[in-house]
Amino acid sequence: MLQHKQERLPVTAVNTTMRLAALRQQMEKSNLSAYIIPDTDAHMSEYIGKHDERRAWISGFTGSAGTAVVTKKKAAVWTDSRYWTQAERQMDCNWELHKEVSISSIVAWILAEVPDGENVGFDPFLFSVGSWENYDQELQDSNRHLLSITTNLVDVAWGSERPPVPSQPIYALPKEFTGSTWQEKVSAIRSYMQNHTMAPTGVLLSALDETAWLFNLRSSDIPYNPFFYSYTLLTDSSIRLFVNKSRFSLETLQYLNTNCTLPMCVQLEDYSQIRDGVKAYASGNVKILIGISYTTYGVYDVIPKEKLVTETYSPVMLIKAVKNSKEQALLKASHVRDAVAVIQYLVWLEKNVPKGTVDEFSGAEHIDQLRRNENFSSGPSFETISASGLNAALAHYSPTKELHRKLSLDEMYLVDSGGQYWDGTTDITRTVHWGTPTAFQKEAYTRVLMGNIDLSRLVFPAATSGRVVEAFARRALWEVGLNYGHGTGHGIGNFLCVHEWPVGFQYNNMAMAKGMFTSIEPGYYQDGEFGIRLEDVALVVEAKTKYPGTYLTFELVSFVPYDRNLIDVSLLSPEQLQYLNRYYQTIRENIGPELQRRQLLEEFAWLERHTEPLSASAPHTTSLASMWVASALAILSWSC
């Protein structure tokens, strides 16, 4: 019967019968009636490597969010609405799809499937402390036992087919691309520990960007992120880096002072020894500080609770959130080059969309390539969102080679993209329309722009939480009954995470401080029709106020103009219009000379036109007209 049903499945469905049989064999050896398989890695990374895609391998479902549970007789996946269609196409008849994501709903299913007195297994290195607490609490008094098993059973079932752990070199960033030496950073963390009320003797770093930042080291283990698998146990007298030692060159070993055991020498230990290493250190007269957000139960579990100091984020997360003057200059420089790539892309679109030769996927490939051509490039910082028409109404849509739409003069187009460069990480979104937008589209776009401007120009007291000011980005939309369902912004790193916590505008972000970088990205999404998002990266700076006091504001470091064709200037207040024109002047001053230096004359002419001052009474120049001008200029420059 199962085989007959399988024949009618979509060709995209993966046959998981043998995989499940192999896993159930391992479950039986471990005396388990159920096994929970999350979609993360041992560092709670936003993106995970191929060899960590356990839920995808066991279920066939490759979406980035979802949890699988396998019992002796059944298998199920829980995921959110973004992935329901994909899951139905990819999973075979061995699997049930549950259209919820809460731990409560997963546990309710487990309780219905697992008899009293039996065991539910999990890999402690794939559960955050918070996840473990939630599962543990939900299963309490149920007479089912939550069992931590440090050998991952999916890995055993996967066997030799499992992609290998990356082994590319781990390298030190040249000092011109770093804000401080690793020794200065280590000293800063030790100073934080000494001044802490709980007087911790050590700090455990689990998030991959923490260790990468601390030692100014980079590699390429994770898609879109320049990280390598590692942990750091930094104490008041030692530095222990848990990593694959064979990946370091002699030069990098020398850079880390690995040939000594003094307080400023890095002792390399094998990555797999982290649990034993922490356990051994915790046996002494010590106190270990952890950032609970990125620490897994696998290492938390071996620290006696009386020796544990927990904070939401580690001191590394807090310190790297505030960029020093050199880091600020580096990030700004990366945004200048990035703006050149985005402007080249917008000019290319204006010329090629009317020919009918561009689709969402080829567009995404083109902008990624333009970034790769830039100095110090290390690829995209996330999967490019290239969305035309109704696809742009899906806030996190990305095209594939198989599934994409053609770009058209008659529809809006949203491109959200970013780059990794040795000096900084970038993220920018622009929405354009090459034809005649509807009055509603123009109003919605203009109100999104007004929200971007209102938050960007806001002056607020130092140490204000982002969530307190977030509503300014929504006010112009709220006024007419519109809104958006995603966050308003996130921190961004220096050749680190494109979504760098804990900076941003959500309830669990830290207070704003001078030197932080955050995105500002209001949007609006009309289901089934179009989507708008305007995203810039901004530096938090001191504001000049009439009366004395410490106040902050934002300085944009994204330098790409908005689409004039979609701006209804009559909706803008005089202050918003003045701010926009000042921003356009800044773009000219920062990007114009760079375009001229590179002899990008067509792009320079485009920039000059698109940053002309706007006035309340001036008629709008349509993008279609500007295309003819651009074409004429291109022909003239070619014939010269």
Side-chain angles (χ1 to χ4, degrees):
M1 183 64 185
L2 180 63
Q3 189 179 1
H4 179 66
K5 284 171 73 180
Q6 293 275 24
E7 285 168 8
R8 286 189 263 162
L9 284 169
V11 291
T12 47
V14 176
N15 186 336
T16 62
T17 302
M18 298 297 288
R19 298 175 185 186
L20 284 166
L23 175 60
R24 285 176 175 136
Q25 198 177 358
Q26 296 305 319
M27 288 166 59
E28 196 175 337
K29 286 181 186 175
S30 299
N31 193 25
L32 298 178
S33 293
Y35 191 62
I36 305 168
I37 306 152
D39 57 4
T40 187
D41 67 8
H43 307 275
M44 304 290 108
S45 303
E46 180 179 6
Y47 302 104
I48 60 173
K50 289 285 179 195
H51 73 289
D52 282 319
E53 292 178 352
R54 298 175 179 92
R55 193 226 52 233
W57 180 79
I58 196 68
S59 67
F61 164 56
T62 60
S64 66
T67 300
V69 179
V70 176
T71 66
K72 291 175 181 177
K73 301 283 186 193
K74 287 188 177 181
V77 160
W78 285 256
T79 190
D80 64 63
S81 58
R82 291 175 296 165
Y83 298 110
W84 292 345
T85 303
Q86 182 181 344
E88 283 163 355
R89 286 176 180 163
Q90 292 182 320
M91 295 196 307
D92 67 6
C93 296
N94 290 306
W95 291 86
E96 299 174 4
L97 172 62
H98 292 264
K99 298 181 175 182
E100 291 179 81
V101 289
S102 70
I103 288 174
S104 298
S105 65
I106 296 172
V107 171
W109 186 85
I110 290 172
L111 292 177
E113 297 298 329
V114 174
D116 269 17
E118 298 197 1
N119 297 323
V120 177
F122 72 101
D123 179 343
F125 286 100
L126 299 183
F127 271 51
S128 68
V129 177
S131 290
W132 171 77
E133 286 172 342
N134 287 336
Y135 276 102
D136 189 53
Q137 195 173 350
E138 293 274 349
L139 282 164
Q140 265 175 15
D141 308 321
S142 72
N143 199 24
R144 280 83 166 173
H145 313 297
L146 194 58
L147 214 59
S148 167
I149 300 175
T150 54
T151 299
N152 189 284
L153 302 190
V154 174
D155 293 352
V156 179
W158 205 345
S160 60
E161 288 179 21
R162 186 183 176 215
V165 177
S167 57
Q168 300 96 323
I170 297 168
Y171 60 92
L173 273 176
K175 63 176 184 289
E176 56 267 33
F177 294 105
T178 63
S180 315
T181 65
W182 69 258
Q183 291 93 339
E184 288 167 337
K185 292 176 178 182
V186 164
S187 297
I189 306 304
R190 283 179 172 153
S191 175
Y192 180 97
M193 287 157 58
Q194 285 162 11
N195 295 321
H196 195 285
T197 51
M198 300 294 288
T201 60
V203 174
L204 174 64
L205 305 177
S206 292
L208 298 182
D209 62 329
E210 294 179 314
T211 291
W213 175 87
L214 182 64
F215 297 111
N216 296 323
L217 294 172
R218 301 290 189 273
S219 194
S220 53
D221 295 8
I222 300 282
Y224 309 114
N225 287 327
F227 306 147
F228 52 95
Y229 292 105
S230 55
Y231 295 90
T232 299
L233 181 56
L234 172 62
T235 79
D236 46 15
S237 59
S238 68
I239 308 164
R240 298 166 68 185
L241 173 55
F242 294 80
V243 69
N244 177 352
K245 306 177 214 181
S246 68
R247 299 174 62 184
F248 291 109
S249 66
L250 287 172
E251 187 184 16
T252 310
L253 292 172
Q254 202 173 357
Y255 161 82
L256 291 170
N257 298 339
T258 57
N259 59 350
C260 59
T261 54
L262 297 169
M264 273 299 176
C265 302
V266 179
Q267 298 165 39
L268 298 184
E269 301 190 33
D270 193 77
Y271 174 79
S272 64
Q273 295 303 304
I274 182 61
R275 187 174 161 96
D276 291 341
V278 171
K279 190 176 182 178
Y281 178 70
S283 67
N285 182 24
V286 298
K287 277 194 179 169
I288 304 171
L289 171 61
I290 63 168
I292 212 83
S293 299
Y294 289 92
T295 306
T296 66
Y297 184 69
V299 284
Y300 169 88
D301 182 39
V302 297
I303 306 171
K305 300 306 161 268
E306 68 276 9
K307 297 181 179 184
L308 195 61
V309 180
T310 61
E311 293 189 345
T312 308
Y313 301 107
S314 78
V316 164
M317 286 291 191
L318 303 180
I319 291 170
K320 78 176 168 59
V322 178
K323 276 58 174 171
N324 63 31
S325 56
K326 187 178 176 188
E327 289 165 331
Q328 291 173 31
L330 287 165
L331 250 170
K332 286 181 181 180
S334 72
H335 279 80
V336 168
R337 296 193 309 281
D338 198 70
V340 171
V342 176
I343 288 166
Q344 285 178 297
Y345 181 58
L346 293 173
V347 171
W348 179 82
L349 287 175
E350 283 196 2
K351 287 194 295 186
N352 290 285
V353 170
K355 299 173 188 172
T357 56
V358 185
D359 61 53
E360 293 167 332
F361 187 72
S362 67
E365 283 193 315
H366 190 67
I367 194 166
D368 288 350
Q369 186 54 51
L370 287 167
R371 281 197 170 92
R372 284 191 185 94
N373 296 341
E374 291 297 321
N375 284 343
F376 316 125
S377 170
S378 190
S381 56
F382 57 96
E383 186 177 13
T384 295
I385 295 169
S386 170
S388 176
L390 76 171
N391 285 342
L394 307 169
H396 297 104
Y397 165 87
S398 287
T400 65
K401 199 170 186 177
E402 296 74 31
L403 290 170
H404 53 255
R405 298 181 83 238
K406 191 160 275 193
L407 271 55
S408 157
L409 291 176
D410 304 319
E411 291 183 308
M412 277 200 189
Y413 172 64
L414 183 156
V415 57
D416 182 349
S417 63
Q420 288 285 13
Y421 306 93
W422 280 18
D423 45 357
T425 303
T426 68
D427 184 2
I428 184 170
T429 310
R430 290 294 181 262
T431 307
V432 295
H433 196 306
W434 299 282
T436 307
T438 66
F440 177 57
Q441 287 174 332
K442 285 185 74 164
E443 180 180 1
Y445 181 96
T446 307
R447 289 187 178 277
V448 171
L449 175 60
M450 290 159 73
N452 185 307
I453 291 171
D454 285 347
L455 185 51
S456 299
R457 63 185 288 269
L458 186 69
V459 174
F460 54 93
T464 297
S465 169
R467 72 177 184 274
V468 173
V469 299
E470 192 258 7
F472 282 88
R474 300 179 186 267
R475 185 175 61 176
L477 289 162
W478 285 353
E479 281 174 351
V480 291
L482 304 179
N483 202 2
Y484 54 94
H486 55 73
T488 295
H490 54 80
I492 195 158
N494 279 87
F495 192 28
L496 289 167
C497 290
V498 71
H499 303 129
E500 185 175 80
W501 286 83
V503 175
F505 298 96
Q506 297 180 43
Y507 73 93
N508 52 351
N509 290 140
M510 63 191 291
M512 289 288 173
K514 178 184 170 185
M516 290 178 173
F517 282 83
T518 179
S519 70
I520 294 175
E521 49 181 302
Y524 174 72
Y525 308 89
Q526 183 70 21
D527 193 31
E529 292 184 38
F530 65 88
I532 300 160
R533 188 160 61 253
L534 296 175
E535 176 184 18
D536 296 300
V537 171
L539 169 63
V540 181
V541 296
E542 274 187 38
K544 294 183 176 69
T545 52
K546 183 177 178 182
Y547 300 106
T550 310
Y551 284 77
L552 302 172
T553 189
F554 298 105
E555 175 194 314
L556 295 192
V557 299
S558 299
F559 299 117
V560 178
Y562 310 112
D563 187 2
R564 298 171 85 85
N565 192 33
L566 281 163
I567 301 174
D568 181 351
V569 182
S570 68
L571 291 175
L572 301 179
S573 70
E575 293 81 11
Q576 289 166 339
L577 188 58
Q578 183 186 32
Y579 175 90
L580 183 58
N581 285 332
R582 230 179 16 247
Y583 172 54
Y584 276 7
Q585 184 57 35
T586 304
I587 293 176
R588 283 187 170 203
E589 290 166 2
N590 281 277
I591 309 303
E594 181 66 10
L595 293 171
Q596 287 178 305
R597 186 183 68 78
R598 298 196 201 181
Q599 294 289 297
L600 294 171
L601 303 179
E602 187 179 2
E603 285 78 5
F604 178 72
W606 182 95
L607 182 75
E608 290 284 292
R609 287 195 311 280
H610 285 260
T611 53
E612 282 174 10
L614 290 158
S615 65
S617 57
H620 310 313
T621 310
T622 67
S623 292
L624 205 55
S626 70
M627 275 193 287
W628 291 109
V629 179
S631 302
L633 279 163
I635 293 163
L636 284 169
S637 63
W638 178 77
S639 59
C640 293

